[in-house]
Amino acid sequence: MFSFSPNLISTFSFAADGDQENAGDEVQTGQDTKSDEAPKEGEEGGDVDPNAPPPCPECPDPAKVVLIGLEDKKKALLAEEEALKEERKALEKFKEEIDENLERLEALKKQIQDDLAMIQKVKSDEELAQERAKEAEFEKKMTHMASVYAKMAPESAGAVLSQMDIKVASEIISRIAERKASKILEHVDKEQAAKISERLAHRKE
């Protein structure tokens, strides 16, 4: 049989006790490490809200969304500004065309007014010429008749003038010499003679 000395046994006992203490420290250290680890997703414990939605790996960055929206708005504003410029150009061109048409209309209006004035003048001149021709013809006719009645006997001339239109009779008497005309009026119907004398008096005024 083997026999162990007391010193050797003490040495083994001390080593065994040291190993147990080290093992205990390792167990304690492992427990502390586990307690320090944060609970994983889906595990109980920690401050994780169980009602919170899971993270979305495909959701866009909000900042990028805002930038994209601003860029689209900028493009829309630029397009609208360009459309307004084109519309303004079209309106300016249309205004120029209207101004040109107004100028042409004003010129045409003036031309028409000038033509109407010329036509009116020509018409007036023609009417005046016709009126003068009529007056000259009437004067020639009355002068001739006065010459005829002046050569007639007062009795005969007076009888004819009594039946004649008062206007024509007055024109004939007015063209006969006063002494001869007085003798003729003595043989004209009294009412007719009075009207002729009245007309002759108004003509002398």
Side-chain angles (χ1 to χ4, degrees), residues 43 62 77 117-118 124 132 166:
E43 294 180 352
L77 290 174
M118 184 175 293
S124 299
R132 287 177 179 176
I166 186 65

Side-chain angles (χ1 to χ4, degrees), residues 3 79 87 93 106 112 119 163 172:
S3 60
E87 185 176 356
K93 183 178 180 181
E106 286 295 330
I112 292 174
I119 291 172
Q163 305 298 322
I172 292 173

Side-chain angles (χ1 to χ4, degrees), residues 31 47 59 66 95 109 116 131 135 141 177 184:
Q31 291 177 353
D47 297 331
C59 292
V66 172
K95 182 178 179 297
K109 179 181 177 182
L116 288 175
E131 187 67 24
E135 291 177 356
K141 186 176 181 179
I184 293 174

Side-chain angles (χ1 to χ4, degrees), residues 88-153:
R88 189 180 295 110
K89 290 180 181 178
L91 289 174
E92 290 176 355
K93 183 178 180 181
F94 185 62
K95 182 178 179 297
E96 291 177 358
E97 292 178 355
I98 290 177
D99 292 339
E100 292 176 357
N101 291 333
L102 287 175
E103 290 178 0
R104 285 196 291 268
L105 288 175
E106 286 295 330
L108 181 60
K109 179 181 177 182
K110 186 178 183 303
Q111 183 64 40
I112 292 174
Q113 290 176 345
D114 293 342
D115 293 343
L116 288 175
M118 184 175 293
I119 291 172
Q120 186 64 33
K121 185 177 182 301
V122 171
K123 184 178 180 181
S124 299
D125 293 342
E126 290 179 354
E127 291 177 351
L128 181 61
Q130 291 176 0
E131 187 67 24
R132 287 177 179 176
K134 289 180 180 180
E135 291 177 356
E137 183 67 21
F138 182 76
E139 180 67 24
K140 181 179 179 181
K141 186 176 181 179
M142 291 297 102
T143 301
H144 175 70
M145 292 181 68
S147 177
V148 172
Y149 282 96
K151 295 176 181 179
M152 292 174 61

Side-chain angles (χ1 to χ4, degrees), residues 42-56:
E43 294 180 352
E44 295 183 358
D47 297 331
V48 178
D49 186 359
N51 297 322
C56 179

Side-chain angles (χ1 to χ4, degrees), residues 142-143 145-151 154 161 170-185 200 204:
M142 291 297 102
T143 301
M145 292 181 68
S147 177
V148 172
Y149 282 96
K151 295 176 181 179
L161 292 174
S170 300
E171 291 291 339
I172 292 173
I173 290 295
S174 66
R175 287 167 173 79
I176 298 175
E178 187 173 354
R179 182 178 294 182
K180 182 69 176 181
S182 297
K183 291 181 180 181
I184 293 174
L185 286 175
L200 292 175
K204 291 179 180 180

